[in-house]
Amino acid sequence: MGKKIFSGVQPTGNLHLGNYLGAIKNFVELNNDKENDCIFCVVDLHAITVKQNPKELRNNIRETVATFVASGIDPKKSIIFNQSKITAHSEAAWILSCTARTGWLSRMTQFKEKAGKDKEKASVGLYSYPVLMAADILLYDSTHVPVGDDQKQHLELCRDIAQKFNNDYEVENFFKVPEPLIQKEFSRIMSLKDGLKKMSKSELSDLSRINLTDDADQIVNKIKKAKTDPLPMPDHKDELNQRPEAKNLIGIYSSLTDTKLENIINEFSGKNFSEFKEKLSQALVEKILPISKEINKLLSDEKFLDTILLDGYEKANKIASNKIKKIHEIMGF
Ligand code: TYM
């Protein structure tokens, strides 16, 4: 049976290799399976949990759509829309925030990381953001949610919210309890400057990530400067646990080229990192450059991108409004 897929990406600019290998690459595979119904959402309501410049946000929404399409998602096959256009998302988020427990939210590690030391200054939205994410998923009866490893905890929370709502209102199976789709290996791509830190758009140094809009020179330069350790390339997989930078670079190569880790280790064992880095740059340029060129081409046609969003809105809104109506009945509104 086909799956009902839902996933979201924040339009905060600088989509990077982590977003691509952890999520978007999977979106494309799921989109290509005829059996699946896929919805890919540009989560602009999530983006405003931290301060945004409205003009930049508008551009970043279009850039995220362009990235989806340039990576291979077919807007005729999959629904692409932006979250803020469908008011059911905010409404369901409020309703579900009355189901979610504060104790559950207080355990979310991403909030702790993002809020940093001064939690009192973080927005309420940043704290309750996983509830909005649950609303996104549950409104569409999604069965599977493809994400990177960093979203795992939020998906567990979504499952808890769905189950509690179904129990509280005695509506068995009303909200479908979704399954996460997280790759077994390399579902967390790390910074090029620190193998223990996640590759992220909020990291200050641009050298820490490969952006999907980087050109060949930038990619080659960033890989050349990527942190490694002083040892030669590893002889065995087990060594990687003590060598985070090597693990990350080899993981990126493995994921990009769909090559088994063991095969890469056999090919490069004992060699210098520079030789491997050359191969890695080559693979990255081959994969990223066509996407980057296509993003830039699509960005010059705003009308085309806006039509995709409008078309997606119409399709998604039908599903979401229908679910909200049923929620109203259940709640006694
Ligand atoms: P966001 O916008 O931070 O990231 C989008 C997707 O990219 C993945 N990702 C990574 N994967 C591997 N390595 C990395 N370094 C890396 N960085 C990011 C994320 O896991 C994610 O899959 N809350 C979500 C968006 C969201 C959502 C949803 C997702 C909102 N509603 C409903 C699924 C379903 C977020 O902020 O992702």
Side-chain angles (χ1 to χ4, degrees):
M1 218 181 64
K3 302 181 177 90
K4 283 192 178 179
I5 306 292
F6 186 99
S7 199
V9 174
Q10 291 196 49
T12 36
N14 281 344
L15 289 188
H16 52 73
L17 189 68
N19 299 123
Y20 180 75
L21 294 178
I24 299 172
K25 181 174 167 236
N26 280 355
F27 298 176
V28 176
E29 275 166 27
L30 293 160
N31 164 92
N32 290 345
D33 184 338
K34 275 200 212 85
E35 299 279 301
N36 296 334
D37 291 323
C38 304
I39 304 181
F40 300 114
C41 184
V42 181
V43 292
D44 45 9
L45 293 173
H46 276 99
I48 60 161
T49 53
V50 294
K51 194 163 191 291
Q52 297 291 330
N53 170 321
K55 206 167 151 208
E56 279 170 21
L57 181 61
R58 186 164 294 131
N59 289 335
N60 288 337
I61 292 170
R62 290 196 180 109
E63 189 173 313
T64 310
V65 179
T67 305
F68 284 171
V69 177
S71 304
I73 296 173
D74 175 6
K76 290 205 180 78
K77 161 99 177 39
S78 296
I79 297 176
I80 298 174
F81 75 101
N82 61 319
Q83 195 187 26
S84 60
K85 290 290 171 215
I86 300 189
T87 51
H89 287 252
S90 318
E91 190 180 345
W94 174 257
I95 292 168
L96 295 178
S97 75
C98 300
T99 299
R101 306 290 93 182
T102 55
W104 300 354
L105 280 175
S106 302
R107 283 195 282 276
M108 295 296 116
T109 52
Q110 197 171 85
F111 172 74
K112 289 180 198 161
E113 280 163 23
K114 285 198 176 169
K117 281 190 204 107
D118 204 352
K119 289 196 183 36
E120 306 259 315
K121 290 243 168 78
S123 72
V124 175
L126 191 68
Y127 181 69
S128 63
Y129 140 143
V131 182
L132 175 61
M133 181 164 160
D136 299 340
I137 297 166
L138 299 178
L139 275 174
Y140 298 92
D141 294 335
S142 318
T143 59
H144 295 81
V145 183
V147 283
D149 180 71
D150 61 327
Q151 296 298 324
K152 195 172 169 191
Q153 203 186 22
H154 294 159
L155 280 181
E156 279 157 12
L157 182 89
C158 172
R159 290 167 59 88
D160 289 343
I161 292 176
Q163 274 158 345
K164 180 163 166 54
F165 185 97
N166 292 346
N167 284 338
D168 286 354
Y169 290 96
E170 297 178 25
V171 281
E172 206 182 328
N173 257 332
F174 174 70
F175 281 133
K176 303 286 167 289
V177 181
E179 295 293 332
L181 286 179
I182 301 175
Q183 280 157 243
K184 274 196 209 87
E185 284 187 306
F186 311 116
S187 52
R188 184 180 282 259
I189 304 298
M190 309 311 269
S191 156
L192 299 178
K193 289 277 148 208
D194 179 350
L196 297 174
K197 238 176 158 179
K198 193 179 73 172
M199 184 179 285
S200 145
K201 39 196 156 195
S202 50
E203 171 87 42
L204 259 143
S205 167
D206 194 55
L207 289 173
S208 69
R209 62 183 164 261
I210 306 281
N211 300 309
L212 297 180
T213 47
D214 281 348
D215 61 28
D217 288 347
Q218 284 169 311
I219 294 173
V220 171
N221 183 42
K222 284 175 180 179
I223 294 301
K224 217 179 251 167
K225 295 203 168 134
K227 188 176 169 197
T228 50
D229 53 42
L231 301 173
M233 290 287 286
D235 295 325
H236 198 273
K237 206 173 154 183
D238 294 345
E239 266 181 65
L240 294 180
N241 294 332
Q242 273 77 49
R243 301 179 61 186
E245 282 82 18
K247 181 177 179 180
N248 189 40
L249 293 181
I250 295 173
I252 292 174
Y253 187 72
S254 160
S255 179
L256 263 181
T257 58
D258 288 317
T259 314
K260 276 202 168 136
L261 206 61
E262 286 82 356
N263 295 352
I264 302 171
I265 291 178
N266 284 344
E267 186 182 342
F268 291 97
S269 124
K271 289 188 178 156
N272 244 324
F273 263 100
S274 56
E275 201 171 317
F276 169 70
K277 279 184 164 183
E278 237 168 72
K279 268 279 180 73
L280 175 60
S281 297
Q282 219 176 344
L284 277 165
V285 169
E286 260 167 46
K287 186 62 103 188
I288 303 299
L289 212 60
I291 297 178
S292 155
K293 281 191 180 150
E294 190 61 20
I295 293 175
N296 284 323
K297 201 175 110 198
L298 289 167
L299 281 176
S300 65
D301 193 351
E302 287 184 356
K303 218 168 144 201
F304 174 69
L305 298 172
D306 292 350
T307 308
I308 292 176
L309 286 174
L310 185 63
D311 190 41
Y313 156 76
E314 280 165 2
K315 291 180 185 149
N317 194 39
K318 273 191 198 130
I319 309 171
S321 322
N322 197 19
K323 194 77 177 172
I324 274 286
K325 248 191 230 150
K326 291 184 185 153
I327 295 174
H328 277 222
E329 278 164 29
I330 290 171
M331 316 278 311
F333 287 160

